[in-house]
Amino acid sequence: MGLFAVTNIDDIVILALFFAQAAGHRGSVVRIVAGQYLGFIAILVVAVTAAFGASFLPESAIPYLGLLPIALGLKEAWEAWQERRGDGGDDVNREVRGGPGVLAVAAVMFANGGDNIGVYVPVFATAGAAVYVVVFLVLVAVLCLAGRFFATRPLIAKGAQPVGRRAASAGPDRHRCGDPRRGPVGAAPR
């Protein structure tokens, strides 16, 4: 359980954002949970496959699999740096009106799972994967419940709203920038 918690604590934040974004959209909770499971199963498939391949390594080489998370982190940092230098790219495929889709959630969760893979491979290679996989799949439900719980907290729900909806909900007399008594920044004083 500790291994799951350490590698998936960041997923609670991502899930909370997905759930908050999808608030009020019919069927969105099912799509988010299905996407979380799909992404996590993909992570487990990669980790189990890599661990199975690692079983062919000499026992003295297995501790070096711990370098895998570092390599994955460096790869992610390199990609983030390149993306920041570029045009920023498009957001992951999202169904904005109906909340995030299954594949969008799965893609984000899989992309965020590099640390999981890096940690799971050496553990699965040395201790076996069967029990871990079953327990982890049960804990994904707990993770989804936690994400949904945090998304329904007023402070988080309001902060997760897109900027346009926040500005619209502020009302016509409120401005996003500047003093509401004087108007937007740069406007002539009244």
Side-chain angles (χ1 to χ4, degrees):
M1 176 142 156
L3 180 66
F4 182 85
V6 167
T7 56
N8 289 290
I9 194 75
D10 54 339
D11 287 356
I12 292 175
V13 175
I14 295 169
L15 283 169
L17 291 173
F18 277 136
F19 282 123
Q21 179 188 41
H25 297 289
R26 207 168 191 193
S28 60
V29 171
V30 173
R31 287 193 307 270
I32 293 168
V33 171
Q36 171 65 22
Y37 267 101
L38 185 63
F40 195 77
I41 288 169
I43 290 168
L44 289 175
V45 166
V46 170
V48 168
T49 303
F52 179 71
S55 66
F56 295 111
L57 293 174
E59 194 170 318
S60 62
I62 291 179
Y64 293 105
L65 290 174
L67 296 174
L68 189 59
I70 296 170
L72 289 170
L74 290 173
K75 177 187 163 285
E76 291 295 321
W78 175 256
E79 288 175 1
W81 180 74
Q82 284 182 323
E83 184 177 319
R84 193 173 297 158
R85 285 187 49 213
D87 63 335
D90 293 333
D91 284 345
V92 175
N93 176 26
R94 276 194 194 135
E95 299 169 20
V96 175
R97 292 188 171 231
V102 173
L103 293 179
V105 174
V108 169
M109 292 305 165
F110 184 76
N112 188 45
D115 61 331
N116 301 43
I117 294 168
V119 172
Y120 297 166
V121 169
V123 173
F124 291 174
T126 57
V131 173
Y132 282 105
V133 168
V134 171
V135 171
F136 286 1
L137 289 175
V138 170
L139 290 174
V140 167
V142 175
L143 192 69
C144 290
L145 289 170
R148 179 81 172 127
F149 172 79
F150 287 119
T152 58
R153 301 305 92 194
L155 181 64
I156 293 172
K158 184 176 179 176
Q161 284 181 348
V163 173
R165 286 198 347 215
R166 272 187 283 176
S169 67
D173 297 335
R174 305 286 310 259
H175 300 283
R176 285 184 39 214
C177 300
D179 186 344
R181 295 170 292 187
R182 291 203 258 149
V185 173
R190 293 182 189 173

